[in-house]
Amino acid sequence: MRNISPDILRRVVVIGASGQLGSDIVKALYGIETVGVDHAMVDIESPASISSALAHHRPSLVINTAAFHNVERCETHAERAFSVNTVAVESLASICDAAGIALAHISTDYVFDGAASSPYDEKAAAHPMNIYGASKYAGELTLSIKTKRFFIFRTSGLYGLRGSSTKGYTFVERMLEQARSGRPLRVVDDIVHAPSYTVQVAGGIRRILEGGQFGIYHVTNAGETTWYDFAVEILKMSGVAASVERTTSDAFPSYARRPRYSVLANAAMEKAKIEPLPDWQEGLRAYLHERRSASASP
């Protein structure tokens, strides 16, 4: 890892600022001059659009949260996945490097194949098993070649108040909506991950930017759980009475293979003595509290 420049947070541009994580990163950077841009303002696949935006805003740091991350569609639209997740990231890194701008990029636990039985740390060998993971890992590699002033933040199982831009809901919301409508809940019990609340992920990213070093970081809520146990905890914390049936991934045919174990160890944050994220239960509790507060607002 390389030491960061002291003025790296002088002015920040967040690409994908209207998205689930991007919107919370903008909020987390309170007190720092931050410009959020969305697809209507910057086309991540257009080098000319990127260059124009950066020349206008003159940031010291760009945080890229834009991605083509519908895992199923990536399998059937591989060219599009690599265009957004690899080629566009390569162009962004080249432009930032030439302008002396540091770059932070959001990646994923899907760069790993899930064959491990203990959390993957930042030095673990990547081995993606689907197009989404492959395109994101290729983006990491091209970025690291094009610039040395970079952060890569790998996350897992994100959920937040803004919701998913591709699905229109989060897993948490889907479980609550199905339970309250009386529909049966069948949830897989053979995939282990670390569901992570975007507000807390964004806070961890800020702490890394303020006191860390360039490099790769895993930024997830602590601990691990199956989707089934996550669903049970969602209903329990929400006071919703509903039964949840265990099932396996085989019950839900999919174009994309998914890692059965994708828990990330936050070793780089620990080494840098950066405050870690709370465990996933605390993240869920905080999300449900924010959700209730937002519903109660006029």
Side-chain angles (χ1 to χ4, degrees), residues 52-168:
S52 176
L54 299 189
H56 176 70
H57 295 296
R58 302 179 64 83
S60 52
L61 170 70
V62 169
I63 302 177
N64 178 42
T65 72
F68 186 63
H69 49 69
N70 185 307
V71 178
E72 290 290 291
R73 292 198 66 206
C74 282
E75 293 296 312
T76 56
H77 296 76
E79 183 176 349
R80 173 74 169 150
F82 279 95
S83 176
V84 176
N85 298 338
T86 306
V87 177
V89 173
E90 180 180 13
S91 296
L92 177 61
S94 295
I95 293 166
C96 284
D97 188 66
I101 301 167
L103 175 62
H105 176 65
I106 307 300
S107 192
T108 174
D109 55 331
Y110 274 34
V111 302
F112 299 111
D113 62 8
S117 56
S118 59
Y120 291 93
D121 68 18
E122 290 83 354
K123 294 181 180 179
H127 189 210
M129 63 189 308
N130 55 41
I131 296 297
Y132 172 64
S135 66
K136 291 295 288 185
Y137 184 53
E140 289 187 13
L141 293 177
T142 56
L143 181 156
S144 65
I145 291 170
K146 294 297 182 179
T147 182
K148 299 305 178 186
R149 302 180 71 241
F150 71 86
F151 301 89
I152 292 172
F153 300 122
R154 293 178 181 147
T155 63
S156 169
L158 294 177
Y159 64 94
L161 203 62
R162 179 62 64 92
S164 168
S165 60
T166 57
K167 300 175 184 177

Side-chain angles (χ1 to χ4, degrees), residues 27-60:
K27 293 175 184 175
L29 295 178
Y30 59 88
I32 297 170
E33 187 177 350
T34 303
V35 178
V37 298
D38 58 19
H39 183 70
M41 302 167 70
V42 175
D43 180 357
I44 190 71
E45 295 178 84
S46 166
S49 178
I50 294 170
S51 294
S52 176
L54 299 189
H56 176 70
H57 295 296
R58 302 179 64 83
S60 52

